[in-house]
Amino acid sequence: MSEPIITRAASEAAPDAGAPLVDPFGRAISYLRVSVTDRCDFRCVYCMSENMTFLPKRDLLTLEELDRLCSVFVRHGVRKLRITGGEPLVRRDIMTLFRNLGRHLETGALEELTVTTNGSQLARHAAELAACGVRRINVSMDTLDADKFRAITRWGDLGRVMEGLDAAQAAGLSVKINAVALKGVNEDEIEPMLEWAHGRGMDLTLIEVMPLGEIETHRVDQFLPLSQVRARLMDRYTLADLPDRTGGPARYVRVAETGGRLGFITPMTHNFCESCNRVRLTCTGTLYMCLGQEDAADLRTPLRQSEGDARVAQAIADAITRKPKGHDFVIDRRVNRPAVGRHMSVTGG
Ligand code: SAM
C-alpha cells in the first residue's frame, strides 16, 4: 500500500491513486458524509430557524459532480458513504446518485452506502434504496406523539414517516432511529421510544443537541445531557456496554429487557474526537474536516478546473492535513452564539 499523504504540500505532484488519507493525529479517514442539498421539507426547531435562506440552485454541485467527488474519496480509502442533507430524499433525481454510487459496493471498494433521512419521502424510495445496495438507514424522529412531532419539525407529518418506516422494513432495510434528546420536550418519551423501536427490531440512538447555527431558542433551554438520561434509564433497565461501532460516533449498549441496541451520541458531555474517522462534504463541494469547526476546503474549484481527478485528490489530501484534533462545543447561559455559524442542515448530520 502507498504511504499516507499527510506531509505532501499543495505544490507537489498529486498523490498516487489509492493513497490513504491519514490526518496529522494518525486518524485514517474512511467515512465521508455528503450533504446533497441544504433544503429540507421540515424545519426542526433545534436545527433550523423558521425562515432559512437556501443556496441558489446554481451553486450546487450536479449529481455527476457529487458522484465524481465521492469516487475520488473512495479511491483514497473511504469505505463508508452516508448521504445526508438537508433532506437528501427531496433532491431531484437523487436516486440516480444512489444507483451510480452502488457500483462501488459491487466492486468491493466501498463497504457501505447509507442515508440519513427524516423519513418523509421514504415510502416512495425505500425499495429502490435497497435495490441500490443500501442495507441500513438512519431515520430521524424525536417523538411518537403526532402533535409534538408537528411542533418539533414545524412542518412534518408523523403518519408519513411511519409509512416510510413500514416501507423501509418491508424492503429489508435495517433501520436505526435517531432522536435528539430535548429538555422538557421529549425527555419523558425516551422509555416509550426505546420500547417501540426495539419492539420493531430497530436500534435507537439518542443525540445531544449541538450549538450549530442561529435558531430562535437558547440552546441551554434545549440541551439535555445524555449522562442524566443514561443514569435514569439504568434505574429501570439493564444496560450492558457493547464494543459495537458502526463507523460513527455512537457508543452502544444492549438493553437486556428489550434485547435491543441503544446508542448514545454525546458530543457535549463526552466527545470521541480521538477516534474520528469522518469528514463532511456539502452540496457546494466544500469539505469540512470537523463538524464543530469553521475551517473548510473548496473542492468545487479543482473539480471544475480539471477533467482528471489529480488536482481534486491533492486538494483533499491537503485538507486532511488540517483536520483539527476535535471540536470544543459549549452550551452555556453566558454564551449566546453557536460554536459554528452554519446549521446542521448545511454540513449534514
Ligand atoms: N434530513 C435528514 C434527517 O432528518 O435525518 C438529514 C439531515 S439532519 C440535519 C441530520 C440529523 O441531525 C438529524 O437526526 C437531526 O435531528 C440532527 N440535528 C440537526 N440539528 C442538530 C443539532 N443542532 N444538534 C444535534 N443534532 C441535530
Side-chain angles (χ1 to χ4, degrees):
M1 187 179 289
S2 343
E3 287 296 303
I5 45 181
I6 52 169
T7 53
R8 215 181 272 267
S11 56
E12 290 180 72
D16 301 338
L21 302 166
V22 180
D23 80 0
F25 303 97
R27 298 171 297 191
I29 306 306
S30 56
Y31 185 0
L32 176 68
R33 302 171 77 114
V34 187
S35 175
V36 294
T37 173
D38 62 333
R39 290 167 197 250
C40 189
D41 52 347
F42 291 2
R43 291 286 180 281
C44 296
V45 291
Y46 52 82
C47 183
M48 292 185 177
S49 67
E50 189 151 21
N51 297 309
M52 295 285 292
T53 307
F54 293 110
L55 293 163
K57 294 226 167 69
R58 65 174 180 277
D59 286 359
L60 265 56
L61 295 184
T62 64
L63 294 175
E64 292 73 21
E65 288 172 325
L66 281 168
D67 178 284
R68 198 177 138 204
L69 268 183
C70 289
S71 301
V72 176
F73 277 96
V74 171
R75 219 174 298 135
H76 287 272
V78 159
R79 302 281 294 151
K80 177 168 173 171
L81 274 179
R82 178 175 297 281
I83 306 300
T84 176
E87 172 45 42
L89 300 185
V90 301
R91 175 143 182 188
R92 188 190 295 260
D93 292 333
I94 189 62
M95 297 316 293
T96 307
L97 183 65
F98 281 99
R99 272 194 299 277
N100 289 336
L101 291 174
R103 74 187 183 282
H104 296 303
L105 293 169
E106 282 164 22
T107 64
L110 191 62
E111 219 167 85
E112 182 164 40
L113 174 62
T114 184
V115 61
T116 295
T117 172
N118 65 23
S120 68
Q121 313 296 316
L122 203 46
R124 64 190 173 102
H125 289 310
E128 196 173 1
L129 284 171
C132 295
V134 173
R135 292 288 163 262
R136 300 186 303 148
I137 63 170
N138 289 353
V139 179
S140 304
M141 211 177 116
D142 307 320
T143 175
L144 291 170
D145 177 300
D147 294 332
K148 213 188 276 184
F149 187 81
R150 168 69 66 157
I152 294 173
T153 60
R154 292 189 178 109
W155 296 358
D157 174 354
L158 184 63
R160 273 185 76 180
V161 176
M162 289 294 184
E163 286 167 21
L165 290 177
D166 291 342
Q169 290 193 297
L173 295 171
S174 123
V175 178
K176 178 161 79 73
I177 301 293
N178 280 344
V180 177
L182 297 164
K183 183 158 76 183
V185 176
N186 62 0
E187 60 179 297
D188 58 334
E189 276 199 83
I190 308 264
E191 288 87 345
M193 286 192 74
L194 177 78
E195 303 272 348
W196 166 79
H198 290 179
R200 286 186 62 140
M202 306 184 295
D203 288 347
L204 172 69
T205 291
L206 303 173
I207 306 173
E208 286 177 339
V209 78
M210 290 171 251
L212 305 175
E214 293 285 353
I215 54 165
E216 288 81 358
T217 313
H218 198 297
R219 295 286 179 188
V220 172
D221 299 323
Q222 299 179 325
F223 176 51
L224 176 62
L226 287 181
S227 45
Q228 276 177 26
V229 174
R230 187 178 171 133
R232 195 183 81 202
L233 288 173
M234 284 167 73
D235 289 340
R236 181 153 162 204
Y237 298 102
T238 317
L239 310 182
D241 284 325
L242 291 172
D244 312 18
R245 299 298 309 276
T246 51
R251 291 297 186 277
Y252 289 95
V253 295
R254 174 80 55 204
V255 182
E257 290 75 5
T258 61
R261 223 160 47 140
L262 173 65
F264 296 92
I265 298 183
T266 55
M268 304 303 304
T269 54
H270 186 178
N271 78 48
F272 295 101
C273 300
E274 68 278 5
S275 57
C276 182
N277 58 352
R278 294 173 291 289
V279 288
R280 293 171 157 88
L281 181 67
T282 73
C283 57
T284 58
T286 304
L287 185 71
Y288 286 95
M289 287 69 82
C290 174
L291 178 64
Q293 303 284 357
E294 299 283 9
D295 188 27
D298 167 35
L299 301 184
R300 184 174 59 186
T301 305
L303 185 82
R304 289 188 173 165
Q305 281 180 348
S306 56
E307 280 184 17
D309 290 333
R311 285 185 64 177
V312 75
Q314 187 60 59
I316 293 169
D318 292 341
I320 300 303
T321 66
R322 308 204 309 266
K323 184 169 165 65
K325 197 164 181 194
H327 62 252
D328 26 44
F329 291 144
V330 178
I331 291 184
D332 190 309
R333 190 63 71 192
R334 289 159 300 180
V335 181
N336 198 10
R337 60 183 156 66
V340 295
R342 61 187 188 279
H343 294 87
M344 183 76 113
S345 51
V346 174
T347 335

